Amino acid sequence: MQRQNVNTFLLVVVGMSLTGAIYLGYTYTWFRCGEQRQCLKSGEQRKCSNSGLKEHQKNLYMHSPQGLLNKQPSVVGPEGIISLTPWLAPIVWEGSFDSMLLDSIYKQQNITIATTVFALGKYTQFLTAFLESAEQHYFVGFRVHYYVFTDKPEEIPLVKLDKERQVVVLKVPSSTRWQEITLRRMEMVENLIEDRLAYEADYIFCLDVDTKFYGHWGVETLGHLVGVIHPGYYETAREQFPYERRPESQAFIPSTEGDFYYGGAVIGGLVKDVQELTKTCRVQLDIDAAKSIEAAWQEESHLNKYFLYNKPSKLLSPEYLWQDFKAKTKEVKIIRFSQVIKNYAAVRPNP
């Protein structure tokens, strides 16, 4: 009888211990989840450095090791266009999305899209066409803030904007070299994100001002990190890409590597992802500058180096960056955004 009482007592103790452990575990999990939700709600996710959510987000980035020899991916195949990269990132083409469905989804998220353009010197003459065409085609119905970097704020045109859309003029120093202007863009966008956009916007696109919108450009282009396939090289062997080929440059890419050649006229994604891109490129540009090296195509060369080893989560087809002097090809059913024809000698401060 005494032994039976002892066994019963032990069973009660074990049961209470298990119940307590389960309760504590549940309470801790609930507390951590609540803490993560509070961090997200307050916009201070970066302070939750030990949360499981942040570790998961770190794993979302598609880092590729240097020196990996893989087959060059294609944009066009024997049966037509290709809509998926080997790392499973979508390539956005006409017919690959339903804009009405996507708009209805993103409308609920109350997002803000920041858009930067650089209009220095005589490039201010392109702003009117850029802004007016953007108001017709670019994220129509969504909140867009245009950030215009310029050395001539008095020449910024007054363009009628839809509701919840605005132009913010940012004065910057002039330059006597167009190459210097492009080299400084990464640093300026990085600073803008740190100073303002981290709190004011959800997504950002950095676009060239000497361009014009001709067709719909909407939320189908949003993603963590977004690049555009250059219209001049989407059927070119990577050995012929105009990458930086000098090993002494931080932008160096060997001839045996390369996925696509990305155009520097379009860079986009979540604000935090583009911040990391601009910071990395700015650091590499500074290292090159200290050695008096200027990459073949300035920031575009460093962008291509970044995208090679930090894969974009979404690629925009050449529909999203065409050139006015080029005729449409059979793959490009619609031209959405295109670089305008211009006399470079007349608009650039130097040859």
Side-chain angles (χ1 to χ4, degrees):
M1 186 67 155
Q2 187 176 3
R3 179 184 295 273
Q4 185 178 2
N5 289 339
V6 170
N7 289 339
T8 302
F9 174 75
L10 290 174
L11 285 172
V12 170
V13 171
V14 171
M16 292 177 65
S17 299
L18 287 172
T19 302
I22 293 170
Y23 171 77
L24 288 174
Y26 172 80
T27 303
Y28 178 75
T29 302
W30 178 88
F31 174 77
R32 292 299 294 158
C33 290
E35 181 183 43
Q36 290 172 9
R37 283 195 297 268
Q38 183 62 33
C39 289
L40 290 171
K41 185 177 180 181
S42 63
E44 297 180 352
Q45 183 182 348
R46 285 175 293 181
K47 294 183 181 180
C48 306
S49 57
N50 295 321
S51 72
L53 178 62
K54 186 171 179 65
E55 291 303 315
H56 173 66
Q57 287 182 341
K58 285 182 180 179
N59 294 333
L60 289 176
Y61 300 109
M62 302 291 290
H63 296 296
S64 174
Q66 296 193 24
L68 181 66
L69 301 180
N70 61 295
K71 182 181 177 181
Q72 180 184 350
S74 301
V75 179
V76 180
E79 298 181 2
I81 60 173
I82 295 173
S83 299
L84 201 66
T85 70
W87 60 93
L88 303 182
I91 304 174
V92 184
W93 293 92
E94 171 68 9
S96 65
F97 60 91
D98 184 329
S99 59
M100 185 177 297
L101 173 62
L102 287 172
D103 282 358
S104 67
I105 294 171
Y106 278 90
K107 280 287 186 181
Q108 302 176 65
Q109 299 182 22
N110 195 32
I111 59 174
T112 299
I113 302 104
T115 303
T116 66
V117 290
F118 284 74
L120 278 74
K122 296 180 180 179
Y123 274 75
T124 56
Q125 65 185 277
F126 300 112
L127 261 175
T128 299
F130 176 90
L131 291 171
E132 287 182 348
S133 63
E135 286 301 291
Q136 295 177 39
H137 303 290
Y138 182 69
F139 288 109
V140 174
F142 288 86
R143 186 183 303 111
V144 174
H145 295 172
Y146 303 99
Y147 295 86
V148 180
F149 292 85
T150 184
D151 56 343
K152 296 182 177 181
E154 69 280 359
E155 294 187 10
I156 303 303
L158 293 176
V159 174
K160 184 179 179 181
L161 304 176
D162 200 358
K163 62 180 180 178
E164 295 193 296
R165 297 163 78 96
Q166 61 178 272
V167 172
V168 179
V169 179
L170 303 170
K171 192 174 189 308
V172 295
S174 301
S175 180
T176 56
R177 296 180 66 243
W178 67 265
Q179 295 92 338
E180 183 65 26
I181 296 171
T182 63
L183 288 167
R184 288 161 47 201
R185 292 200 301 181
M186 291 294 187
E187 179 181 6
M188 291 184 184
V189 173
E190 178 195 4
N191 291 338
L192 176 64
I193 291 174
E194 291 181 354
D195 295 343
R196 301 183 59 163
L197 301 190
Y199 317 100
E200 296 180 1
D202 303 286
Y203 295 90
I204 179 174
F205 275 97
C206 308
L207 306 177
D208 275 5
V209 70
D210 53 338
T211 48
K212 187 175 178 180
F213 294 88
Y214 293 101
H216 169 88
W217 177 314
V219 294
E220 76 280 356
T221 63
L222 297 179
H224 277 269
L225 192 60
V226 181
V228 65
I229 298 171
H230 196 291
Y233 302 98
Y234 70 91
E235 293 187 280
T236 302
R238 60 184 167 197
E239 294 84 2
Q240 299 174 27
F241 287 164
Y243 289 153
E244 173 54 59
R245 300 300 189 181
R246 293 171 295 173
E248 57 267 32
S249 172
Q250 293 293 305
F252 166 68
I253 298 176
S255 59
T256 54
E257 296 183 48
D259 299 318
F260 304 99
Y261 189 79
Y262 299 96
V266 177
I267 306 170
L270 286 170
V271 167
K272 64 181 181 65
D273 292 272
V274 176
Q275 179 182 21
E276 184 64 26
L277 181 156
T278 55
K279 178 181 179 181
T280 302
C281 290
R282 188 263 305 163
V283 169
Q284 294 180 345
L285 284 159
D286 288 345
I287 294 173
D288 272 7
K291 296 188 287 186
S292 299
I293 297 173
E294 190 173 287
W297 289 101
Q298 295 80 41
E299 93 289 358
E300 186 174 82
S301 297
H302 290 272
L303 172 71
N304 273 274
K305 174 69 174 287
Y306 187 87
F307 276 158
L308 175 57
Y309 302 120
N310 302 271
K311 304 297 190 189
S313 62
K314 181 175 287 186
L315 281 68
L316 305 183
S317 69
E319 297 171 1
Y320 292 87
L321 181 62
W322 201 245
Q323 296 165 315
D324 278 0
F325 63 83
K326 290 171 63 76
K328 273 199 307 184
T329 61
K330 61 180 180 180
E331 296 83 24
V332 178
K333 307 300 183 185
I334 180 174
I335 296 173
R336 305 180 187 278
F337 188 59
S338 184
Q339 295 176 314
V340 301
I341 297 174
K342 54 196 166 294
N343 181 352
Y344 284 107
V347 296
R348 287 179 172 176
N350 64 294

